[in-house]
Amino acid sequence: MQKKELRQMRTLLATPEMLRLAETNKLKRPRVYETRWDKEKRDTRYDMFLRGRVCGTVVVAALFFPDELAAGRKTPWYELYLDTGTGKFITRILRNGQEEKWSEARMENLGRVYGGTEIGRWHWKKEDITSRIWQCPEEAEEIRRALGRTETEAWEAVTGWQKDAREEQIRKKEEKEQKPWDEDMALVPPVLPGFIRWTGHGGAEEHFIFYDYDRNVKTGYCSFCRKQVPVRKPVHNKKTVCTCCRKQVQLKVKGRIKTLARNPYYTECIQKIKGGFVIRTFRNGASWRDRTPANPKLVLQEQDRYLVFENGRRRHYTMGLYKNKKLRWIPAENDYFWSMTTHALYKKNLGSLKKSALKHSAIDRWERLPCSAGKYLYIEGGNPAIEKLAKAGMFRLARDMMKEKYHPGLLEEDGTELAKLLKIDKARMRRLKEMDGGIPELRWFQIEKLADTVWPDQMIKEFANAGFRGLESFGFLKPPCQPVKIWHYLKKQEKLSGDGIGQVRRTWEDYTGMAKTAKWNLQTEQMSHPKDLKAAHDRVVLALKGKNMEKQAAKLEKKWPGVNGVLQGIKKFGYVSGEYQIVVPDGILDIVKEGTALNHCVHTCDFYFDRIQKHESYLFFLRKSSAPDIPWYTLEVEPSGNIRQKRTTGDNQNRDFAGALPFLKEWQEVFRSRLTKEEKELGILADKARIREYKKLRKDGNRVWHGRLAGQLLADVLEADFMAAETD
């Protein structure tokens, strides 16, 4: 239907009878109508007036409203055009006889119809709706015949025809939308029989040996080998290793497996399709209820299909609910299968695929992929080093490159040979492979090549394991940086202190910074490389303690001008109960005194003051009520009341702290009760910041190198020390 042609049609105007009825529409006594739930009263006779005519295949319905007619306006409010030939409809909206706009909404969804009548509201009876709509009998009959709905009222014929027309439009639109999906799905071949057999045992992560409950039992059925294997003195639920396949298995008595089921696991297979290949992901399971050990009930549900074509096109489909109507294959949110979850990959057909679809991939070289096959092929296609590294057997470096964010400058993009691609030579690549190195080791070999020297392999391994990312890790030392000399010094101090070289480096950096503050002459070898680093560190701490603490606090106040104001704002969180109390510092000077007295780093680490100024965490003093002026424990607390750290002398936590735990729980409840809305929001932000920090510490592999917790991951230690405030 063309709007230009519709405008040329004669407008249906209100009849004298309609005008008369509109003027007398108000009833003296309200009428009562029964709905599905209750009764409703209306003090008017009609809600709407309807006229209509047929022009060829177009049915025109004009809608009028009593208030407009009573005001003397003869033009309709809505003109509905229904084309029975094409199945399309459209409505022209008029104001005072002038066209305002067009709408494709159905009649019952038009503004005044929906708001002023009961059309489309299922709790009204149809006969009551009809009684409140005035319709010219002859015109109504003409509308019903034209729309092929002679057994209904005219208004119902219009709404019913529009509903069917709209559903047909939607159906055609959905068919058009689904057509390319169905074409892609038609390319997918049947599931390989070998894959179905393999996924029930080879692709599973849990395996069992089933045996008869008999003292003289000698054999059991292995779910991986799928045959009888020797067992010796089996115990139900005991974990052991199958003597045939060497798989980790769990022993199960046959008579007690009625509720046994494997945890869901995922498997993948790659199959050739026209113009490319498809990666299919299945969710698997198995249960033995009313089954024999050799014949479990298998569950095989295909969940994802990742199609890759030779022209570079990629399509990712997932089994999902299409517009809340039906389950079918629908496009996923991304066009690649981005999952670092490891899925077992079926490999028996990869040999034939290597001759065609996967001829440029090294996916078959991996014993177990570090991620889904879809993600592996996606990354491998964009990073030529992955394929070359896998073919060279350097799987750890390939895994690092896949898991970590892409590092600009790490590779020579134009390099054709693997060594040149890695920015090293063949000899260094051979050394890198022998030590099974990853990205940290590669970086040190690249630095070694730039320095045109050869460093000990053990030094490179230890520097990489300690998290030293390059020469910038020793930027606190005066140049030039001599890695071998630094390594020997770190190893010597490692023996003296008992700390790992990572902690020794941090102590060295801390010592250097404090020595500069104390104005020690670090230009001399004796001062920059003391024979006993830990003893020198303690000496410089003592030297700094001898300085005027007011001056130290004044410098910190100048550097962190907002901290004192924040501390004054949290005075309301002070608390006393029984044997213990919480003291809020008056300012930075109190924090300096606390850190000095307890000999920990709270007053020498800038990040504590940075957190306070940003309202990420605060410092409180835990004291005994009997000695409120004597430092005991320092607490780092988030705005939500979560306690991040609890430390006393030397950054330790002693046995005497256990007695204060009930008091701290009580204080956390009081703390939360005094929070404002803004402080609660700050607590949410602080919680997210802490989680990011722990994630980074765990990713970097930072560890504790001294004390009772030596060797543990720093993130694990901090999480163990964390004390969450209970929420309502």
Side-chain angles (χ1 to χ4, degrees):
M1 290 185 291
Q2 298 295 325
K3 293 180 182 178
K4 182 178 179 181
E5 297 176 357
L6 298 179
R7 291 190 185 102
Q8 293 175 355
M9 291 185 179
R10 178 173 59 86
T11 299
L12 288 170
L13 301 177
T15 64
E17 183 182 1
M18 292 167 59
L19 295 173
R20 179 180 58 79
L21 291 173
E23 291 175 354
T24 59
N25 195 39
K26 191 76 171 179
L27 299 174
K28 293 181 179 180
R29 295 180 62 183
R31 288 190 178 183
V32 179
Y33 297 90
E34 291 188 4
T35 66
R36 291 182 181 269
W37 299 299
D38 53 15
K39 297 180 180 181
E40 292 187 14
K41 294 181 180 181
R42 295 294 173 90
D43 60 358
T44 57
R45 175 68 180 83
Y46 295 110
D47 291 335
M48 187 173 70
F49 294 78
L50 184 149
R51 288 198 64 194
R53 72 167 183 270
V54 179
C55 301
T57 60
V58 177
V59 176
V60 183
L63 306 182
F64 304 80
F65 296 93
D67 57 336
E68 293 291 314
L69 296 175
R73 300 186 184 94
K74 297 182 179 181
T75 54
W77 191 279
Y78 297 113
E79 284 183 339
L80 284 68
Y81 301 94
L82 291 70
D83 192 337
T84 58
T86 62
K88 296 180 180 180
F89 59 88
I90 194 168
T91 299
R92 181 164 67 151
I93 303 174
L94 304 170
R95 294 293 183 272
N96 298 325
Q98 300 299 316
E99 179 183 308
E100 183 180 83
K101 60 181 179 180
W102 294 79
S103 172
E104 294 185 356
R106 288 159 50 184
M107 176 178 168
E108 63 265 33
N109 293 327
L110 294 171
R112 288 210 63 176
V113 175
Y114 182 81
T117 72
E118 297 302 325
I119 293 178
R121 302 184 189 182
W122 62 274
H123 59 283
W124 268 65
K125 298 178 181 179
K126 289 184 179 179
E127 55 268 25
D128 290 338
I129 297 174
T130 301
S131 69
R132 299 194 61 80
I133 300 175
W134 184 90
Q135 305 171 79
C136 177
E138 295 80 9
E139 294 175 349
E141 180 63 25
E142 189 178 7
I143 290 174
R144 291 196 295 267
R145 285 199 307 269
L147 297 179
R149 296 171 181 265
T150 56
E151 296 180 357
T152 63
E153 297 294 337
W155 68 268
E156 193 177 359
V158 172
T159 57
W161 186 91
Q162 284 185 327
K163 180 182 178 182
D164 292 345
R166 179 57 53 81
E167 289 178 351
E168 180 64 16
Q169 292 171 6
I170 292 173
R171 186 188 64 80
K172 290 181 179 179
K173 183 179 179 181
E174 290 178 350
E175 282 184 353
K176 183 179 180 181
E177 181 183 32
Q178 298 175 65
K179 183 178 179 182
W181 309 346
D182 293 332
E183 290 174 351
D184 281 346
M185 294 301 98
L187 299 173
V188 180
V191 181
L192 295 170
F195 169 76
I196 297 176
R197 291 192 298 270
W198 168 84
T199 196
H201 65 99
E205 298 176 355
E206 294 179 291
H207 303 288
F208 308 98
I209 289 181
F210 302 97
Y211 65 95
D212 292 314
Y213 188 66
D214 186 341
R215 291 183 179 180
N216 299 318
V217 65
K218 301 293 184 182
T219 62
Y221 180 84
C222 176
S223 64
F224 184 84
C225 301
R226 293 186 294 178
K227 61 182 180 182
Q228 294 292 325
V229 297
V231 293
R232 185 172 180 271
K233 295 183 179 181
V235 177
H236 184 66
N237 282 337
K238 180 182 178 181
K239 292 184 178 180
T240 183
V241 175
C242 175
T243 56
C244 291
C245 63
R246 310 308 300 173
K247 289 287 185 181
Q248 181 82 21
V249 296
Q250 190 173 23
L251 296 168
K252 294 287 183 180
V253 176
K254 292 180 181 179
R256 299 171 65 181
I257 62 173
K258 291 185 178 181
T259 59
L260 178 62
R262 278 196 183 113
N263 291 321
Y265 60 97
Y266 292 86
T267 55
E268 292 182 312
C269 70
I270 305 176
Q271 293 179 256
K272 183 175 176 56
I273 60 174
K274 183 179 180 181
F277 60 90
V278 59
I279 304 172
R280 308 173 70 174
T281 304
F282 296 81
R283 185 177 187 269
N284 308 273
S287 62
W288 279 266
R289 179 180 290 275
D290 299 326
R291 297 290 184 122
T292 63
N295 185 34
K297 180 182 178 181
L298 299 178
V299 177
L300 189 67
Q301 297 175 337
E302 191 171 3
Q303 293 192 331
D304 286 277
R305 290 179 175 179
Y306 176 46
L307 283 70
V308 182
F309 297 93
E310 295 172 353
N311 59 9
R313 187 169 71 97
R314 300 169 184 265
R315 297 296 300 273
H316 177 203
Y317 293 91
T318 185
M319 179 61 71
L321 191 60
Y322 175 68
K323 296 185 177 181
N324 288 326
K325 294 181 179 179
K326 60 180 179 180
L327 276 173
R328 62 151 294 143
W329 290 107
I330 57 177
E333 293 181 359
N334 48 23
D335 59 355
Y336 50 86
F337 192 27
W338 194 259
S339 172
M340 282 305 293
T341 303
T342 303
H343 300 159
L345 176 65
Y346 181 66
K347 294 184 177 181
K348 290 188 177 181
N349 66 327
L350 292 185
S352 60
L353 290 171
K354 284 290 293 180
K355 299 176 183 178
S356 55
L358 299 178
K359 60 183 177 182
H360 297 301
S361 175
I363 192 171
D364 58 311
R365 301 293 184 97
W366 293 77
E367 181 177 351
R368 190 172 183 87
L369 291 174
C371 57
S372 66
K375 179 172 183 180
Y376 174 81
L377 293 172
Y378 181 83
I379 297 178
E380 186 187 53
N383 189 344
I386 303 298
E387 177 191 354
K388 294 179 181 295
L389 287 170
K391 289 180 177 178
M394 302 173 71
F395 295 105
R396 184 194 162 196
L397 182 55
R399 190 179 295 108
D400 280 1
M401 289 187 179
M402 294 181 66
K403 288 188 174 181
E404 294 190 20
K405 185 178 179 181
Y406 180 75
H407 301 278
L410 181 66
L411 302 176
E412 182 62 58
E413 302 291 352
D414 297 331
T416 53
E417 296 181 359
L418 181 56
K420 291 182 179 179
L421 188 65
L422 298 176
K423 292 186 175 181
I424 54 179
D425 52 38
K426 292 183 178 180
R428 289 183 172 86
M429 190 181 78
R430 192 161 45 249
R431 292 163 59 197
L432 178 63
K433 181 179 179 180
E434 288 173 355
M435 68 173 63
D436 191 25
I439 288 179
E441 289 82 0
L442 172 61
R443 288 189 181 279
W444 279 105
F445 276 114
Q446 290 175 342
I447 297 170
E448 181 193 74
K449 185 176 184 297
L450 288 174
D452 194 20
T453 185
V454 177
W455 293 329
D457 287 356
Q458 187 64 24
M459 183 198 85
I460 292 176
K461 288 171 63 176
E462 292 190 15
F463 277 10
N465 291 336
F468 304 160
R469 298 182 64 84
L471 299 180
E472 63 269 18
S473 297
F474 308 105
F476 59 91
L477 299 174
K478 65 178 182 179
C481 185
Q482 301 176 11
V484 177
K485 181 180 178 180
I486 292 172
W487 178 53
H488 286 308
Y489 181 74
L490 291 174
K491 295 295 290 182
K492 178 181 177 181
Q493 298 303 319
E494 183 183 37
K495 292 180 180 179
L496 286 174
S497 65
D499 297 336
I501 63 171
Q503 180 59 40
V504 171
R505 190 210 69 82
R506 285 189 286 273
T507 302
W508 197 4
E509 182 179 17
D510 192 27
Y511 160 77
T512 302
M514 290 189 293
K516 288 179 180 178
T517 303
K519 300 189 182 301
W520 288 8
N521 184 12
L522 293 177
Q523 298 301 315
T524 64
E525 185 78 11
Q526 292 175 334
M527 298 300 291
S528 62
H529 294 66
K531 288 185 178 180
D532 190 330
L533 178 61
K534 202 165 187 178
H537 178 274
D538 293 341
R539 288 197 303 273
V540 74
V541 169
L542 291 174
L544 287 176
K545 283 182 179 179
K547 286 183 173 289
N548 189 297
M549 285 188 288
E550 285 80 6
K551 290 183 179 180
Q552 187 179 356
K555 290 181 180 179
L556 290 171
E557 288 170 358
K558 186 176 180 180
K559 189 173 184 180
W560 307 101
V563 170
N564 283 347
V566 173
L567 293 175
Q568 291 300 316
I570 61 173
K571 281 289 185 180
K572 63 181 179 179
F573 298 120
Y575 186 64
V576 181
S577 179
E579 298 180 14
Y580 307 99
Q581 71 178 72
I582 296 294
V583 176
V584 183
D586 286 324
I588 289 179
L589 179 58
D590 282 355
I591 296 175
V592 172
K593 291 179 180 178
E594 179 87 350
T596 303
L598 295 179
N599 192 27
H600 55 43
C601 62
V602 71
H603 62 302
T604 59
C605 295
D606 283 353
F607 59 81
Y608 287 112
F609 298 104
D610 181 50
R611 288 175 184 170
I612 295 173
Q613 190 157 286
K614 293 191 301 186
H615 292 274
E616 186 177 324
S617 66
Y618 310 122
L619 294 177
F620 295 91
F621 304 152
L622 174 62
R623 304 276 174 85
K624 293 185 178 180
S625 300
S626 58
D629 297 325
I630 299 178
W632 188 42
Y633 275 83
T634 306
L635 308 177
E636 183 186 7
V637 183
E638 295 178 353
S640 61
N642 295 332
I643 300 176
R644 294 183 64 162
Q645 294 190 76
K646 313 171 284 286
R647 290 290 180 261
T648 186
T649 305
D651 273 339
N652 292 319
Q653 188 176 125
N654 302 325
R655 293 180 180 178
D656 59 355
F657 182 77
L661 286 175
F663 165 78
L664 289 179
K665 289 286 186 182
E666 177 185 333
W667 175 61
Q668 284 180 314
E669 293 181 7
V670 174
F671 188 104
R672 289 186 61 82
S673 69
R674 297 176 181 176
L675 289 173
T676 64
K677 180 180 179 181
E678 292 74 17
E679 289 168 338
K680 291 179 180 179
E681 293 175 351
L682 289 172
I684 295 173
L685 296 176
D687 188 69
K688 293 179 179 178
R690 169 174 40 78
I691 292 172
R692 288 195 300 269
E693 179 186 346
Y694 287 176
K695 185 176 181 181
K696 184 178 186 302
L697 289 173
R698 184 166 279 108
K699 179 180 179 182
D700 293 341
N702 294 340
R703 295 181 180 273
V704 178
W705 298 104
H706 66 283
R708 298 192 303 267
L709 304 175
Q712 296 187 28
L713 284 173
L714 180 57
D716 291 342
V717 173
L718 291 174
E719 285 185 342
D721 199 27
F722 179 75
M723 185 173 172
E726 294 184 2
T727 58
D728 295 330

